[in-house]
Amino acid sequence: MEAAEERGLITRVLEGDRLAARALYDAHAPRVYRLIYRFVGDDVLAEEFVQDTFVRVFGSLNGFRGDARLGTWIHSVAVTTTMNGLRTRNRRSGRELALEAAAELPAPAREAEPDLRDRLHAAIDALPEKFRVPVVMHDIEGYTHSEIAAITGVPEGTCKTRLMHGRAKLREALAMFSRARDVEALP
């Protein structure tokens, strides 16, 4: 969508045009969903965060200055909404389960070694947020370093450094899996 077309849509949305709001949503929601899904790994939660994102976007659209492309701004709102939502959920879930109740839970059954995909997803989920965001956005979703910098508000050089550190942590986390598979393959 071209910048002039986006500006026209923004103007129409601000005037209360519901069709323009729908067009704006339809133009950006699929990529926003993919990005959020990569962070949360759950369809229902991703949909919830997409809705939260667009509620915030439409609620603050009159504050959009146009310094960046609309899509970049929307993705910035999506990342912030998702990370804040995940933090809130983690705090709630920590309070929901008292220590006494946790002691009564049965021990989890030992499962077979997960395949590489499961290990990779677990390793990505375990990354600290500052490393997970650039890894997911760059290596999985294909955003450029400049787009990531604009979306996250972090300098481009810092994004590149965080991506490098995130990849190193992934290599480290997956090294044991690789060695274990090599040992299993020995005669």
Side-chain angles (χ1 to χ4, degrees):
M1 182 177 294
E2 293 186 30
E5 185 180 355
E6 284 182 343
R7 281 193 300 274
L9 272 178
I10 292 169
T11 301
R12 290 176 38 214
V13 169
L14 292 174
E15 292 171 350
D17 184 341
R18 295 182 109 154
L19 293 176
R22 185 62 195 197
L24 190 75
Y25 177 86
D26 289 344
H28 294 280
R31 192 162 187 209
V32 169
Y33 172 82
R34 283 193 313 273
L35 174 63
I36 291 173
Y37 183 82
R38 297 292 186 175
F39 287 123
V40 301
D42 177 79
D43 184 53
V44 173
L45 189 55
E47 285 290 336
E48 181 180 324
F49 286 150
V50 168
Q51 295 305 316
D52 290 348
T53 295
F54 280 95
V55 165
R56 290 175 191 233
V57 163
F58 290 125
S60 58
L61 195 56
N62 61 349
F64 175 66
R65 297 185 313 262
D67 296 339
R69 292 187 49 95
L70 179 63
T72 302
W73 179 72
I74 291 172
H75 286 90
S76 175
V77 173
V79 169
T80 302
T81 301
T82 302
M83 293 303 137
N84 288 341
L86 288 174
R87 279 190 218 84
T88 300
R89 285 182 179 280
N90 288 340
R91 280 193 305 269
R92 281 188 198 141
S93 68
R95 289 189 297 245
E96 289 173 0
L97 186 60
L99 289 176
E100 297 81 29
E104 296 172 10
L105 293 174
R110 184 159 170 78
E111 296 180 16
E113 183 71 18
D115 69 351
L116 181 58
R117 179 182 302 186
D118 292 340
R119 285 295 294 250
L120 179 59
H121 287 292
I124 290 171
D125 290 344
L127 286 173
E129 182 181 313
K130 70 180 184 178
F131 300 138
R132 186 173 66 244
V133 169
V135 166
V136 168
M137 292 182 78
H138 186 274
D139 290 349
I140 298 173
E141 286 300 315
Y143 288 84
T144 66
H145 292 292
S146 60
E147 289 173 325
I148 297 168
I151 289 169
T152 61
V154 174
E156 190 172 333
T158 304
C159 290
K160 290 177 181 179
T161 301
R162 288 179 178 179
L163 176 62
M164 179 186 70
H165 288 296
R167 286 174 176 165
K169 288 187 177 296
L170 287 176
R171 277 192 297 276
E172 184 180 306
L174 297 173
M176 291 302 290
F177 180 74
S178 175
R179 282 188 229 124
R181 292 182 63 101
D182 291 344
V183 169
E184 288 175 7
L186 292 176

